[in-house]
Coordinates of all heavy atoms in Angstrom, one line a residue:
Chain A
Y31 N -15.6 27.6 0.8 CA -16.3 26.4 0.4 C -17.4 26.1 1.5 O -18.5 25.8 1.1 CB -15.4 25.2 0.3 CG -16.1 24.1 -0.5 CD1 -16.0 24.1 -1.9 CD2 -16.7 23.1 0.2 CE1 -16.6 23.1 -2.6 CE2 -17.3 22.0 -0.5 CZ -17.3 22.0 -1.9 OH -17.9 21.1 -2.6
N32 N -17.1 26.3 2.8 CA -18.1 26.1 3.8 C -17.6 26.9 5.0 O -16.5 27.4 5.1 CB -18.4 24.7 4.1 CG -17.2 23.9 4.7 OD1 -16.5 24.4 5.5 ND2 -17.0 22.7 4.2
Q38 N -16.1 24.8 22.2 CA -14.9 24.3 23.0 C -15.1 24.6 24.4 O -15.2 25.8 24.8 CB -13.6 24.9 22.4 CG -12.4 24.3 23.1 CD -11.1 24.7 22.5 OE1 -11.0 25.8 22.0 NE2 -10.1 23.8 22.5
G43 N -11.2 19.5 23.5 CA -11.3 19.6 22.1 C -12.5 20.4 21.6 O -13.2 20.9 22.4
L44 N -12.6 20.4 20.3 CA -13.7 21.1 19.7 C -14.8 20.2 19.3 O -14.6 19.1 18.8 CB -13.2 21.9 18.4 CG -12.4 23.1 18.6 CD1 -11.1 22.9 19.2 CD2 -12.3 23.9 17.3
Q51 N -22.8 24.9 4.0 CA -22.1 25.0 2.7 C -22.2 26.4 2.1 O -23.2 27.1 2.4 CB -22.8 24.0 1.7 CG -22.8 22.6 2.2 CD -21.4 21.9 2.2 OE1 -20.5 22.5 1.7 NE2 -21.4 20.7 2.6
P94 N -11.4 27.0 2.7 CA -11.1 27.8 1.5 C -11.7 27.1 0.2 O -12.0 25.9 0.2 CB -9.6 27.8 1.4 CG -9.2 26.6 2.0 CD -10.2 26.4 3.2
G95 N -11.8 27.8 -0.8 CA -12.3 27.3 -2.1 C -11.3 26.3 -2.7 O -11.7 25.5 -3.5
A96 N -10.1 26.4 -2.4 CA -9.1 25.5 -3.0 C -9.2 24.2 -2.3 O -9.9 23.9 -1.4 CB -7.7 26.1 -2.8
G98 N -8.4 20.7 -0.3 CA -8.0 20.4 1.0 C -8.9 21.0 2.1 O -9.7 21.9 1.8
N99 N -8.9 20.5 3.2 CA -9.8 20.9 4.3 C -9.0 21.8 5.3 O -9.0 21.4 6.5 CB -10.4 19.7 5.0 CG -11.7 20.0 5.6 OD1 -12.1 21.2 5.7 ND2 -12.5 19.0 5.9
K100 N -8.4 22.9 4.9 CA -7.6 23.7 5.7 C -8.5 24.8 6.3 O -8.8 25.8 5.7 CB -6.4 24.3 4.9 CG -5.4 23.4 4.4 CD -4.4 24.0 3.5 CE -3.6 25.1 4.3 NZ -2.5 25.7 3.5
F103 N -9.6 29.6 11.6 CA -10.5 29.8 12.7 C -10.5 31.3 13.1 O -9.5 32.0 12.9 CB -10.0 29.0 13.9 CG -10.3 27.6 13.9 CD1 -9.4 26.7 13.2 CD2 -11.4 27.1 14.5 CE1 -9.7 25.3 13.2 CE2 -11.7 25.7 14.5 CZ -10.8 24.8 13.8
G104 N -11.6 31.7 13.6 CA -11.7 33.0 14.3 C -11.2 32.8 15.7 O -10.9 31.7 16.2
Chain B
Y33 N -5.6 15.0 11.2 CA -5.0 16.3 11.3 C -4.3 16.5 12.7 O -4.8 15.9 13.7 CB -6.1 17.4 11.2 CG -7.0 17.2 10.0 CD1 -8.0 16.3 10.0 CD2 -6.9 18.1 9.0 CE1 -8.9 16.2 9.0 CE2 -7.8 18.0 7.9 CZ -8.8 17.0 7.9 OH -9.7 16.9 6.9
Q37 N -2.9 24.6 19.6 CA -3.6 25.7 20.1 C -3.0 26.3 21.4 O -2.9 25.6 22.4 CB -5.1 25.3 20.5 CG -6.0 26.4 20.9 CD -7.4 26.0 21.1 OE1 -7.7 24.9 21.5 NE2 -8.4 26.9 20.9
P42 N -7.0 30.7 18.7 CA -7.7 29.6 17.9 C -6.7 28.5 17.5 O -5.4 28.8 17.5 CB -8.2 30.4 16.6 CG -7.2 31.6 16.5 CD -6.9 31.9 17.9
P43 N -7.2 27.4 17.1 CA -6.3 26.3 16.7 C -5.6 26.7 15.4 O -6.1 27.3 14.5 CB -7.2 25.1 16.5 CG -8.4 25.4 17.2 CD -8.6 26.9 17.2
I56 N -0.4 17.8 3.9 CA -0.1 19.1 4.1 C 0.9 19.2 5.4 O 0.6 18.6 6.4 CB -1.4 20.0 4.5 CG1 -2.3 20.0 3.2 CG2 -1.0 21.4 4.9 CD1 -3.7 20.6 3.5
E58 N 2.3 22.5 7.3 CA 2.3 24.0 7.4 C 3.6 24.6 7.9 O 3.6 25.4 8.9 CB 1.1 24.4 8.3 CG -0.3 24.1 7.7 CD -0.6 25.0 6.5 OE1 -1.0 26.1 6.7 OE2 -0.4 24.6 5.4
G98 N -12.5 16.0 1.5 CA -13.5 16.8 0.9 C -13.9 18.0 1.8 O -14.0 17.9 3.0
Q99 N -14.2 19.1 1.1 CA -14.4 20.4 1.9 C -15.8 20.4 2.6 O -16.0 21.3 3.4 CB -14.2 21.6 1.0 CG -12.8 21.8 0.7 CD -12.6 22.0 -0.8 OE1 -13.1 21.3 -1.6 NE2 -11.8 23.0 -1.2
S100 N -16.6 19.4 2.3 CA -17.9 19.4 2.9 C -17.9 18.5 4.2 O -19.0 18.3 4.8 CB -19.0 19.0 2.0 OG -18.8 17.7 1.5
E101 N -16.7 18.0 4.5 CA -16.7 17.0 5.6 C -16.5 17.7 6.9 O -15.6 18.5 7.1 CB -15.5 16.0 5.3 CG -15.7 15.2 4.1 CD -16.9 14.3 4.1 OE1 -17.3 13.9 5.2 OE2 -17.4 14.0 3.0
L103 N -15.1 18.0 10.7 CA -14.0 17.5 11.4 C -14.4 17.1 12.8 O -15.3 17.7 13.5 CB -12.9 18.6 11.6 CG -11.8 18.6 10.6 CD1 -12.3 18.9 9.2 CD2 -10.7 19.6 10.9
F105 N -12.9 16.3 16.5 CA -11.7 16.5 17.3 C -11.6 15.7 18.5 O -12.6 15.3 19.2 CB -11.7 18.0 17.8 CG -11.3 19.0 16.7 CD1 -12.2 19.5 15.8 CD2 -10.0 19.4 16.7 CE1 -11.8 20.4 14.8 CE2 -9.5 20.3 15.7 CZ -10.5 20.8 14.7
G106 N -10.4 15.3 18.9 CA -10.1 14.7 20.2 C -10.1 15.8 21.3 O -10.2 17.0 21.0
S107 N -9.9 15.4 22.6 CA -9.9 16.3 23.7 C -8.5 17.0 23.8 O -8.4 17.9 24.7 CB -10.2 15.5 25.0 OG -11.6 15.0 24.9

Side-chain angles (χ1 to χ4, degrees):
Chain A
Y31 197 85
N32 63 46
Q38 185 173 30
L44 283 70
Q51 304 288 359
N99 207 348
K100 295 177 59 173
F103 284 85
Chain B
Y33 311 74
Q37 187 177 25
I56 297 173
E58 291 290 278
Q99 287 131 315
S100 62
E101 299 295 333
L103 264 65
F105 281 82
S107 297

